[in-house]
Structure formats: structure tokens, C-alpha cells
Amino acid sequence: MNQPSIATTLSPNPNTVSKTLLSIRGVAKQFGKKAVLRDVTLDCAEGEFLSVLGESGSGKTTLLRLIAGFEACSAGEILMSGERLDVLPPYKRSVNTVFQNYALFPHLSVFDNVAYGLRVRGTPADEVKSRVDDALAMVKMSAYAQASPAKISGGQQQRVALARALVNRPKLLLLDEPLSALDANLRRQMQLELKTLQRELGIAFLFVTHDQEEAMTMSDRIALLRAGELEQVAAPQEIYRRPATAYVAQFIGQTNLMRANVNAGIAECGGLRWPTTELDGPATFSVRPECIVKAAAGSLSADGSVRFRAQIVNQVFQGATELWQIECASGDRLLVKTSAKSDTSEMEFAFSAEDAVRVRD
Amino acid sequence: MYSRAYKLAVALPPIAWVILFMLLPYGLLFLYSFWTVTPSQQIVHQWNLRNYSELLRVPVYLEVLLRSMRIAGIVTLLSLLLGYPLAYFVSFHAGARKELLYQLVIIPLWVSYLARAYAWKTILGSDGVFNMLLQYLHITNHPQGFLLYSPFAVVLTLTHIYTPFTFLPIYAAMEHIPRPLVEASHDLGATPLQTFWRVIVPLSIPGLIAGATFSFVLSLGDFLAPLLVGGPSGIMISNIVVSLFGAAYNWPLGAAISACMMVLVIALLFATERLEKKWSFA
């Protein structure tokens, strides 16, 4: 009988199957002579949670402001469901924003804040009432409907800002570091709530943050911006396990960068050698601290495993794990994340060759 | 912390100032309003309420007071109509020229009051710039006298002089409106006009009230503009006070009018202060 075709046997990749909602094409932004964004091309699928991650000054907030319409692109175009978005004034775009400091209207009650978007569009009063009530219930703020924004806490203001944006049923919600003003515990709680809410509503979120942990926790994909240019766009696991560049490897989590020399399929760095498929010449590899393990005494070196002796020069207690700084015979220092005990100051360590990921500089 | 002696030493000069130059003269004024002036023009310390009953009995006082309030009201309205849009434009839409425009609005405040009032005399006079223009355009063939020495001239002059005072608090209030609120409004679908009415106006009301209070209270008590450009039909209540303390030599009656004015103004300030508080959010 016929063999099933490859296409039907493979499970569909959600990122290629779902429709593109937002399409940023070759967008650049300059303030005077200063280029803040350079040739950014990025798609966001319907219902996707996309994080734009970067240091301060990387241009991430500017990118969000271009999508919201508070700034105009210097070059390139932005499309929404295939139609030009960047030519519309902000009040005609079907996106809504949760601002960094919430930007709630101080002269309006919580209810009137949430009702604002519906009222300016001339929604009938009874519909306004029911939709605002629903939105407030969704963020568990119904009890505060008549409160003034100044009288509620930061976390509550955050929820109101979210309800105010979502009540308009945007296709895309833009969030500008919405959790940065909250304390650590509340922030973690809100991260989970936001993620749950996003899944339930099926609205695409474009989430701007400088916090890589936050981006890892919440996103379907992360777009990492560096000095106005996209460094890598990938799912959290992918970006962590297969960082494209040395910058990404260092920005997302901790890593050991090894500047090695490849010769005939063998990479060599400070006395350590491992097999690689990279071409001859200098190459940088990233090895995550948790990929380096304490080797069991007397065990034989398995295939592709790199064994070496090193001194522990520093130990930092981190709860479930410890972070060690070790020094190899060559004098190179490496980070090791382990739950093992350190019985002696000099020990045998190992990492698997496939955990040494080639990265661009 | 600071010792009592230190606090007292710091507080003493302003307290002395207020007592010496405010409470004392106002108190004296108040006392005078209960005394009497004899036909031989001597002020005798004879306590009575005759000065106050005089104010109610002679219609001209009330008439001039009402006219003064009307003029002050019109000046306030006009300076709001000029100052509010100006403040909005400078604060929200002036871009790089913001500082320059702000200075241009402020500069007239550095010019002497008299110079500004006299300027209107040369503009509105029968051989003034305005009349020359009217004749040049053949709108009229002889100088128009109604321009100068009229309530119209007083209103024009006072509006010119006090509009910067109205502008300033409105501008300050608008500068304090966080710009993300304007962006949030646009983001939620409000047009620029809707944003103006629903966000900018409500949040600038304290400035509007302060500005209106400034122009009303300052024009109500003004006596120079009516003196210079008002003529007989344009005199205001302060001109009467000035003449009672001067040529007419009836200090007690002048003091009684001043006391009434003071009560009126203080009541107004209290009321506007409360209104401003009601419209303040933070």
C-alpha cells in the first residue's frame, strides 16, 4: 500500500500553522542621528505570547511604541492581519497597551477607567456596564469598581490597567514592562496569572521586558533585541539550549564561553578537547554551568564526554543547588551548577561534547 | 531636631512682617470704617455703623461695585478664552518652540504696568493707531471717540495685563498632566478631541480655577487702568476708594468700602480653594 507522506506523519508545528497576526518588516527608528532600531523583522502569530527581551536602551520599548502608534517608523512597515498598521493614528489601531506605570486616569473611578475605551467608541450604556463588569470580574477587581485609582495598591492598579485594555477585545495586547513596579512575590504570582489569562482569552500578547527569567517563564517565543537589532527569535527552550550568539548565551541564564580552536573535527580550548562538526578555525562554544558535572571517581570516560581535573576556588550556596567556580589546569575558570557535595578541593569534572554549543561572537 | 529658640528665630521675621505690614494696617482700616468724619473734616473716634449704611443708601457705590464685578467677570472670561487655548497649545503642541513661546507669554509681565496701560492709550486714542487704521481702510472718515475712556477700553487693557496671570497656573496644571495618560487615551481609541475633553480639561481644572481667580481678583481691585483709559463711565470701585482717601478726605467711608471688598475677596478665595481641592487628583 501507499506509504503515508511525510507531511501527514509529522505533527504540525504551531508556529507555522497558526496565522500571522502582526508583521514587522524591516522597521527602523531614528531619533535625530541616533538609530534606536535597525532593520527589525519579526512576526507575531494569532494567540501567541511573544516577549521582546533586551537590556535598557536596546530599543524594545521603542518597538512597542511603534506598534501602538506613539512613534512613527523611520523605515519599514508594520502590518496587522495583512493590512498596514503603521499608517494609522493610535486611536484607529486594534491594539491596546498596558503601560509601565499603568497610566490610569486619576480623575476617573476604576469602573470609568475600564469603561473609557468602550465609551469613546460610543458603545451603548448597558453593554458598557456588562462588559466592564465582566472585565473587572476577570481580574478579580469587581469589589473596587467605585474606588479611585489612587486608593488601590500597585498590584490592583496593574489588574485594572489590564482590564481597561482587554475590555476592548484587541487582537493584540502590548505590555510595556507591566510587572517591573511590583515586588518579587507579587510579580511571580502575576506572571502566572497573566500567562493563564492569555491562554484562556487567546489574544496575542507582545510583552516587553528586560527580565530574562520573566520572558522564559511566560513566552511562547522570545525575541532578543540588542542595541536595536534582533539577536535571536526562538522558543525559550531553544534560545536557552541553542543560543545563536555569545551575547544570547550570556544574557539568557549563565554560561561558560570557551574560545576554542577547531582542527580536523576536534575542538581544543585550554587543554580540553572534544569532538565537533564545526569547520577548522577559531570558534566559540557555550557550555551551561549545569552541563558540567562532578565525574564519579574511577569511572571511564564515555564517548563524547570531556573529563578534566579542576580546583574549586569559590562556592556560592543557592538553595537547591550550589554554584562553583572552578579553575582548570590551564588557569581558565568555569562555572558549575551542581547539587553534588565537594569532598575535596580538587576534583574530576566532565561535560558532554554535545552540550558545547557553537555560538557566533 | 531643631531647638525651640532656633525655630522661633527662623519664624520671627515672617511673623513680624505679616503683623507689621498686613494685620496691623488691615486692623487699622477696619477700625477706621467704624469712625466718623466731621463736616470740618476731622476724623473722630465715634463708633457707629453709619459708613456701612451709607454704602447701601447711596446707589452709586453699589452701582460701581456691580460694574466693577461685571468688568472683572468679563476680563476673567476673556483671559480664560485667550489663556486656556494658549496654555494648551504651548504645553502640548509647541514642540521645540515651547520654551520660546512660554517666555514670550511671560515677557509682558516684566514690562511696567503703567507702560502697558499707556500703550493702549496710544492705540485707542483719537489720533491713535487704531483710529488711523479705521480711517486708512475708509471704514470711517473721522476719529472715533468711543474707543478710549470707556468700559470697553478698561476691559481691553485689563485683559491684556492679566491674561499672563491666567495663563501661568493653567500652563502649570497642564505641564503636570502625565503624558502617558494622553497616550493611554489615544490607545483606548479616543480621538484628539475626545482626549482633550475627557482627560486634559478635567485634569487642568485646578489651574483653570486658579487662573480665573487671579484675573478676577486682580481686575476687581484695579484702579490704574480705569484711571488711565476708563473715563467717567469706566471708573471702578477702587477709584472711589482712592478718591475717598484722597481728595474727598473721607477715610472712614473709604475704609468701609475696602473692608467690604476684602470680605468679598477672602470669601471668593476660600470658595475657589475648595473648588480646586475638589478637582485635584493625585
Side-chain angles (χ1 to χ4, degrees):
Chain A
M1 291 302 289
N2 284 346
Q3 289 255 316
S5 72
I6 290 172
T8 55
T9 54
L10 290 175
S11 65
N13 178 346
N15 290 334
T16 54
V17 164
S18 48
K19 272 164 56 189
T20 299
L21 176 68
L22 182 81
S23 187
I24 300 164
R25 293 185 186 166
V27 161
K29 177 66 185 173
Q30 270 166 295
F31 290 113
K33 282 187 177 155
K34 193 179 183 310
V36 180
L37 288 173
R38 270 185 237 106
D39 193 26
V40 173
T41 296
L42 178 67
D43 281 355
C44 179
E46 280 177 4
E48 184 181 15
F49 197 123
L50 176 64
S51 286
V52 176
L53 177 63
E55 298 170 322
S56 59
S58 61
K60 56 190 191 304
T61 295
T62 303
L63 183 62
L64 179 134
R65 292 175 62 81
L66 290 174
I67 302 167
F70 307 140
E71 309 279 355
C73 302
S74 307
E77 54 183 32
I78 301 173
L79 292 95
M80 176 76 126
S81 310
E83 284 176 38
R84 282 292 285 270
L85 186 74
D86 55 311
V87 292
L88 300 175
Y91 51 89
K92 285 189 181 157
R93 301 189 183 197
S94 55
V95 297
N96 285 114
T97 307
V98 175
F99 290 81
Q100 187 166 9
N101 293 310
Y102 320 133
L104 297 178
F105 302 117
H107 57 299
L108 300 178
S109 68
V110 164
F111 184 96
D112 291 339
N113 261 283
V114 178
Y116 191 93
L118 298 174
R119 284 181 179 151
V120 295
R121 289 194 171 93
T123 313
D126 47 345
E127 191 189 334
V128 170
K129 174 91 176 78
S130 69
R131 277 172 72 175
V132 172
D133 285 345
D134 288 349
L136 285 175
M138 177 182 75
V139 296
K140 306 183 191 84
M141 285 297 291
S142 303
Y144 297 89
Q146 295 315 315
S148 147
K151 295 279 193 304
I152 59 177
S153 72
Q156 291 169 332
Q157 290 181 25
Q158 164 73 69
R159 288 159 193 270
V160 175
L162 200 59
R164 183 178 71 174
L166 288 174
V167 76
N168 304 296
R169 298 177 188 152
K171 292 180 186 167
L172 173 66
L173 186 72
L174 307 173
L175 302 103
D176 186 9
E177 308 225 16
L179 307 178
S180 62
L182 305 179
D183 59 58
N185 280 330
L186 189 56
R187 190 156 72 225
R188 271 190 287 274
Q189 184 195 331
M190 283 303 290
Q191 285 172 3
L192 293 176
E193 280 186 33
L194 262 182
K195 181 69 198 160
T196 313
L197 197 64
Q198 190 264 339
R199 279 220 194 92
E200 283 170 10
L201 295 172
I203 292 176
F205 276 28
L206 195 136
F207 189 94
V208 163
T209 182
H210 66 271
D211 183 336
Q212 50 99 6
E213 265 185 49
E214 196 163 276
M216 297 278 270
T217 314
M218 304 170 75
S219 321
D220 295 326
R221 281 192 310 153
I222 297 174
L224 203 143
L225 264 181
R226 179 195 188 185
E229 283 177 280
L230 277 178
E231 194 84 353
Q232 187 173 9
V233 185
Q237 297 85 340
E238 163 100 7
I239 211 168
Y240 185 80
R241 292 196 189 126
R242 301 272 142 201
T245 66
Y247 177 83
V248 175
Q250 283 177 305
F251 194 83
I252 310 264
Q254 285 171 305
T255 199
N256 296 294
L257 287 180
M258 298 188 179
R259 300 191 193 279
N261 214 344
V262 180
N263 191 2
I266 298 292
E268 203 252 305
C269 171
L272 308 181
R273 304 160 131 268
W274 61 92
T276 175
T277 55
E278 297 296 329
L279 297 176
D280 288 5
T284 305
F285 290 82
S286 157
V287 182
R288 295 289 183 193
E290 66 274 17
C291 294
I292 304 178
V293 294
K294 187 177 129 185
S299 71
L300 288 170
S301 170
D303 269 353
S305 167
V306 186
R307 289 180 69 110
F308 57 97
R309 290 192 73 78
Q311 293 264 354
I312 303 173
V313 289
N314 222 334
Q315 276 176 279
V316 182
F317 177 69
Q318 289 184 323
T321 57
E322 282 187 14
L323 192 69
W324 297 351
Q325 201 177 27
I326 60 171
E327 193 173 287
C328 308
S330 62
D332 289 334
R333 289 188 169 189
L334 297 172
L335 289 174
V336 178
K337 197 176 215 169
T338 179
S339 51
K341 294 270 177 295
S342 57
D343 0 284
T344 51
S345 67
E346 189 177 310
M347 289 192 296
E348 192 100 346
F349 291 92
F351 64 86
S352 162
E354 64 192 27
D355 287 330
V357 179
R358 168 75 204 274
V359 293
R360 290 198 315 275
D361 276 302
Chain B
M1 287 329 260
Y2 298 111
S3 68
R4 275 178 79 96
Y6 177 83
K7 285 187 198 163
L8 199 69
V10 170
L12 213 57
I15 290 175
W17 178 277
V18 168
I19 290 176
L20 215 60
F21 297 111
M22 275 189 64
L23 296 183
L24 213 61
Y26 288 175
L28 270 177
L29 195 80
F30 204 58
L31 286 181
Y32 265 101
S33 74
F34 295 106
W35 291 340
T36 318
V37 67
T38 63
S40 57
Q41 295 213 315
Q42 290 217 310
I43 294 164
V44 288
H45 299 183
Q46 206 175 63
W47 298 88
N48 62 79
L49 289 169
R50 214 172 304 147
N51 298 313
Y52 290 96
S53 62
E54 185 85 351
L55 289 182
L56 295 173
R57 196 177 56 80
V58 184
V60 70
Y61 298 124
L62 217 55
E63 248 167 55
V64 176
L65 179 65
L66 284 178
R67 181 200 295 155
S68 305
M69 288 177 75
R70 196 164 58 237
I71 287 178
I74 296 170
V75 169
T76 303
L77 202 68
L78 290 177
S79 63
L80 284 180
L81 284 176
L82 287 171
Y84 194 88
L86 188 63
Y88 171 70
F89 180 79
V90 175
S91 182
F92 284 92
H93 298 292
R97 294 159 300 173
K98 187 167 176 169
E99 194 57 29
L100 174 73
L101 285 174
Y102 174 77
Q103 292 299 340
L104 285 177
V105 179
I106 299 303
I107 281 171
L109 292 180
W110 303 344
V111 177
S112 150
Y113 182 112
L114 275 177
R116 281 181 286 162
Y118 265 113
W120 283 105
K121 226 170 162 152
T122 59
I123 294 169
L124 300 173
S126 40
D127 49 0
V129 181
F130 201 69
N131 263 316
M132 275 159 62
L133 184 74
L134 288 183
Q135 287 170 70
Y136 177 77
L137 295 173
H138 297 287
I139 292 167
T140 169
N141 53 14
H142 58 89
Q144 297 295 311
F146 75 92
L147 291 170
L148 197 54
Y149 305 123
S150 64
F152 164 75
V154 176
V155 166
L156 201 63
T157 307
L158 288 179
T159 303
H160 169 231
I161 287 169
Y162 292 128
T163 295
F165 287 95
T166 316
F167 166 86
L168 277 176
I170 297 172
Y171 178 76
M174 285 182 175
E175 283 293 278
H176 276 101
I177 297 176
R179 294 316 190 249
L181 293 185
V182 176
E183 289 179 350
S185 174
H186 290 154
D187 187 74
L188 292 166
T191 62
L193 193 66
Q194 285 175 315
T195 302
F196 176 76
W197 285 113
R198 288 169 177 263
V199 177
I200 292 165
V201 168
L203 292 177
S204 60
I205 280 181
L208 191 125
I209 295 169
T213 311
F214 269 138
S215 54
F216 187 83
V217 169
L218 291 174
S219 356
L220 186 66
D222 198 281
F223 73 98
L224 267 174
L227 192 71
L228 292 173
V229 300
S233 62
I235 65 160
M236 289 172 70
I237 194 76
S238 296
N239 301 96
I240 292 188
V241 175
V242 169
S243 74
L244 283 173
F245 274 90
Y249 199 71
N250 192 344
W251 285 30
L253 186 57
I257 298 179
S258 303
C260 289
M261 293 288 289
M262 233 150 58
V263 170
L264 194 75
V265 166
I266 288 170
L268 197 74
L269 290 179
F270 265 107
T272 54
E273 166 105 10
R274 291 192 65 136
L275 259 181
E276 268 178 62
K277 282 230 177 78
K278 203 182 144 221
W279 281 93
S280 303
F281 315 90

